[in-house]
Amino acid sequence: TGTQLESVGVVDIAADGTIDASTLSMEDVNATEGFTPDQAIVDRVAEINDQIEEELGVVIGSSEVDLNGVKEEVRAGETNLGDLVADAMLWRAGLDNENVVAAITNGGGIRASIAAGDITKKSVNNVLPFTNTLYVVEVTGAELLEALEASTFCTPEPVGGFPQVAGIEFTINTGAAYDDSTYAGPNSINRVTILTVGGQAFDVDATYTIVTNDFLAAGGDTYYAFKAAESGYDTGILLDQVVMDYITEE
């Protein structure tokens, strides 16, 4: 019923089929009361964790600066970690499709920072824990505008859909009102102005090949325009692996 076991849901189904649902706060429920851990399972979990620590502890690079994945900041503005992820996406997609000109990922998908110093596989996995894949989609300039307008509807207030990008220059007029529609997309474009895409002046009538992640391609985090796009394909390439490869190869 939420995240981080903040609450639990209770569903009561009566004999006549009547269903009642309620939510209990974990402040009122002790999830471990009366339970004794099975030592064999505890030991096995420790074994697996040790193995994971060894495999993911491999150093793949280093950074001279902190890479910012702070939740409130990566969902409200451009950060260097957001840039790194988007740059990696654009690089990898471009290896297979020379038409890809830009990358967009959601700030809400970036779940941790990376401190200055060694970067390990685990560092990147902590940043990108969702096993998302790269997804290439073709959108018109108008659809791209719609996606950026919708995903920044409350900026500078944090929002999971905030676009971390590569290959796109755009501005947000945070003083303008967001023009909502019945399906939560914008009725009109009031806040976002796109300046360039792929290093070229933006053309609202042009078609752009964009790499994003599979969650956004399915319309997640307000990217309804991506879901509605007529052409697109999932590469099957894991996003965290892309960032690791970009760090080691580029």
Side-chain angles (χ1 to χ4, degrees):
T1 57
T3 64
Q4 301 178 28
L5 206 63
E6 292 176 350
S7 59
V8 294
V10 178
V11 178
D12 292 309
I13 306 175
D16 63 0
T18 303
I19 299 176
D20 291 312
S22 59
T23 301
L24 295 177
S25 167
M26 289 307 292
E27 295 178 354
D28 303 322
V29 179
N30 187 334
T32 60
E33 186 176 355
F35 289 89
T36 301
D38 185 301
Q39 192 58 44
I41 293 177
V42 170
D43 293 343
R44 181 60 182 135
V45 168
E47 275 183 43
I48 294 171
N49 282 338
D50 288 344
Q51 181 181 356
I52 291 172
E53 289 293 331
E54 181 179 354
E55 293 180 0
L56 296 188
V58 175
V59 175
I60 60 173
S62 64
S63 177
E64 296 179 354
V65 298
D66 292 337
L67 299 174
N68 184 5
V70 174
K71 179 178 179 179
E72 292 76 13
E73 297 180 25
V74 79
R75 297 176 181 221
E78 180 182 14
T79 78
N80 55 2
L81 182 54
D83 288 339
L84 174 65
V85 174
D87 286 348
M89 295 169 66
L90 181 56
W91 163 76
R92 182 59 185 85
L95 295 180
D96 298 327
N97 187 337
E98 63 182 10
N99 295 319
V100 176
V101 293
I104 300 177
T105 196
N106 53 318
I110 295 174
R111 309 298 280 200
S113 297
I114 299 177
D118 288 342
I119 299 174
T120 63
K121 290 183 177 182
K122 185 178 180 181
S123 304
V124 177
N125 189 251
N126 286 339
V127 171
L128 302 166
F130 296 121
T131 64
N132 288 120
T133 55
L134 296 194
Y135 196 104
V136 175
V137 62
E138 288 188 0
V139 294
T140 66
E143 290 170 332
L144 182 58
L145 260 177
E146 179 181 339
L148 294 181
E149 181 87 3
S151 59
T152 60
F153 74 94
C154 64
T155 305
E157 292 299 316
V159 60
F162 185 88
Q164 299 290 336
V165 305
I168 303 175
E169 292 180 302
F170 70 100
T171 62
I172 309 167
N173 179 0
T174 59
Y178 177 70
D179 186 9
D180 200 359
S181 77
T182 55
Y183 77 112
N187 282 318
S188 59
I189 307 299
N190 294 335
R191 292 162 55 88
V192 169
T193 300
I194 300 177
L195 306 175
T196 66
V197 179
Q200 303 296 317
F202 174 68
D203 181 354
V204 71
D205 296 318
T207 298
Y208 296 106
T209 305
I210 307 292
V211 60
T212 185
N213 65 61
D214 59 320
F215 174 63
L216 300 191
D221 269 356
T222 73
Y223 284 81
Y224 316 103
F226 285 179
K227 183 179 181 180
E230 295 184 1
S231 178
Y233 62 92
D234 194 330
T235 68
I237 304 171
L238 290 171
L239 179 53
D240 62 340
Q241 188 62 53
V242 166
V243 176
M244 293 179 201
D245 291 344
Y246 185 67
I247 290 170
T248 57
E249 297 181 28
E250 294 295 305

